[in-house]
Amino acid sequence: EEVEMLRTSAAMMMAHRMVRAMSTGKRIVVVGGVAGGMSAAARARRLDEKANITIFEKGPDPSFANCGMPYYLGGEIKDRKALSVQTPQSLKSRLNLDVRVKSEVTKIDRKAKQVTVRELP
């Protein structure tokens, strides 16, 4: 199985180009969720329904409404969970994505096609 690695720190345009180059049945690993990573993973799913897609997100939320952060910090939104847009379970059922939160990728070995992941508390 081939592993395509997408880094959310790269421009989304580059991620979309990488996703476009994928063929059916690949294993895709996305490092980082929220806007960039989830966008890349959703695009990968649209382009390849059979791909095995895994997203590793360091934080507790795979998808987060950053635009609501000022309202949370200002006290208008009381519960931080209200900013959570999607859950790992909803992304699994909706897009068949394997989302692993509180998982920090510490090493990427492109040659061996492996990632090393540290589970966070």
Side-chain angles (χ1 to χ4, degrees), residues 67-78:
C67 57
M69 186 58 76
Y71 300 100
Y72 173 70
L73 294 173
E76 284 186 54
I77 296 176
K78 303 291 182 202

Side-chain angles (χ1 to χ4, degrees), residues 27-41:
R27 182 174 174 122
I28 301 164
V29 174
V30 179
V31 179
V34 192
M38 295 315 301
S39 200

Side-chain angles (χ1 to χ4, degrees), residues 61-117:
D61 301 302
S63 187
F64 196 81
N66 285 324
C67 57
M69 186 58 76
Y71 300 100
Y72 173 70
L73 294 173
E76 284 186 54
I77 296 176
K78 303 291 182 202
D79 187 5
R80 184 185 177 282
K81 290 181 183 179
L83 299 177
S84 183
V85 178
Q86 295 283 343
T87 65
Q89 296 80 14
S90 67
L91 290 164
K92 179 68 174 174
S93 66
R94 201 169 128 243
L95 295 172
N96 193 24
L97 300 175
D98 179 8
V99 181
R100 301 180 191 189
V101 294
K102 296 185 179 181
S103 299
E104 179 182 23
V105 173
T106 58
K107 181 179 177 185
I108 299 172
D109 185 341
R110 294 184 71 151
K111 198 170 195 174
K113 298 181 181 179
Q114 293 181 337
V115 293
T116 302
V117 180

